[in-house]
Amino acid sequence: MQKVFNLFDFSQKVNYKTEILAGLTVAMTMIPESLSFAILAGFPPLVGLYGAFIMGLITAIFGGRPGLISGGAGATVIVLIALMKSHGLEYVFGAVIIAGLLQIIVGVFKLGKFIRLVPQPVMYGFVNGLAVVIFMSQLEQFKTTSNDETTWLTGSAMFIMLGLVALTIAIVYFFPKITKAIPASLVAIAVVFAVVLLFGIETKQVKDIASVSGSLPPFHIPTIPLNWETLKIIFPYGLVMAAVGLTEGLLTLNLVDEITATKGNSNRECLAQGTANIANGFFFGMGGCPMIAQTLVNLSAGSRARLSGIIGALTILAIILVGAPVIELLPMAALTGVMIMVAIGTFEWTSFKTFNKMPKSDIFVMLVVTLITIFMHNLALAVLIGVIISALVFAWENAKRIRARKYVDENGIKHYEIFGPLFFGSTTAFAEKFDIQNDPKEIIIDFAESRIADMSAIEAVNNITTKYANLGKTVHLRHLSNDCITLLKNAEAIIDVNILEDPSYSVMPGKN
């Protein structure tokens, strides 16, 4: 029971000033992004802010680790655009609830650990692609929309935007060299805000995207038919949203683990994400997942506890309720500059240094994942393809390692000492090692330096022993490891493995 109620690590030293300032900075960068994605998907603007508040608060309290920031993330929202256009907002809320339920199932059955199967090149590709996406999304702020036509800013409007963004970037870059007591991003936003107000500079502001004023998130049961037809419509969207959210969330959790040299809880994060998404579906939120950009803003501001995430979420709520008139005056140039610096900081520049040291297959995987992330914005697909390619390369490389040392002892018995793993990828090469027609009457296959890994391997051994048996020859399997013996015994009901024992060469536990 102690673990259940131990939501916070009270032994952790918390710098309250740093946590509060980091939370404020996170809120400032999350608001325009949530609004932008809500508008892009065709949702009411407040649905985006409600999503950021609900996701941020629940995951900050119950999530898998401190420092991780969740909100109305674009990666998950993009999944729902087609559903919004075809069936409307109520069906979107239904899909968000389905996504939450699926994420809770993943957490309950402790499937979050499978994120460990994601190789480092896939991680590099994921992070680099996301950094490019973050950067490219900021270019939209240099455009203007008139009569449903979007064009680049021109003349003084463009120069003002560029100048304010450059000022923001300069402050974010140089201010930490003076002091790290206050987050540089927050200082940059405040300074640029002050410059725009004092000099009366006309530039794009938050209110130009949408109004951010409103009330508390209202409880609302989605008004959709509760039948099989509805489930067939919303389930695929919920499934993809859950997969995208968990993929981005758990990869972000791993990234935070590396940055902070601490360990998070992936299954707990799945449960928190699922709970937050279910709450979104019933409280007018667009759902979401951990946001890598805001998480990096949070960490770069010095946060290492849960408090900053709670402060960020409550700040968003306060802005919705009372602070909208002020926040709507924030220049978008300041927020754009902060996000550009986040993109630069997110990119794994060290991945370029490893190009000459990494295997070509790893470089290929990294580039494929990066390009899919950039051009398709489908993080789940990018990671899945990366993992599949890595697995195939791994299988191919291991398949080439199967080899055999052959000799005939003084008793006229031929020995085959197998080296390398025997699995589906190496069974053909394994079978080619044997000279069945010309071998003597007794053969020993020694697995001291090998292991039988799967059903394909069992079938390969069965085929070899059967071929020898058909010629009246005897095969002994030697030095099988305990797990190999178990695997062979389990397969006896399906195939005849033909393991023979005698006083000289019995099936013996070998080296693991």
Side-chain angles (χ1 to χ4, degrees), residues 306-347:
R306 296 181 182 273
L307 182 60
S308 62
I310 297 172
I311 292 295
L314 293 177
T315 300
I316 292 173
L317 179 63
I319 288 168
I320 293 172
L321 298 178
V322 296
V326 175
I327 297 302
E328 288 175 355
L329 297 178
L330 279 178
M332 288 303 302
L335 303 175
T336 300
V338 169
M339 295 305 293
I340 287 174
M341 289 302 291
V342 167
I344 293 171
T346 301
F347 198 91

Side-chain angles (χ1 to χ4, degrees), residues 37-38 40-43 47 72-100 233-245 277 280-281 285-289 377-378:
F37 280 113
L40 175 66
F43 305 154
V47 170
T76 54
V77 174
I78 288 173
V79 173
L80 303 174
I81 293 177
L83 181 61
M84 177 65 186
K85 290 181 178 178
S86 62
H87 289 82
L89 191 60
E90 297 296 329
Y91 279 78
V92 166
F93 292 145
V96 171
I97 293 170
I98 292 291
I233 294 170
I234 65 176
F235 186 82
Y237 291 97
L239 178 62
V240 175
M241 181 182 177
V244 170
N277 274 318
N280 264 274
M286 68 180 181
C289 67
H377 290 199
N378 192 328

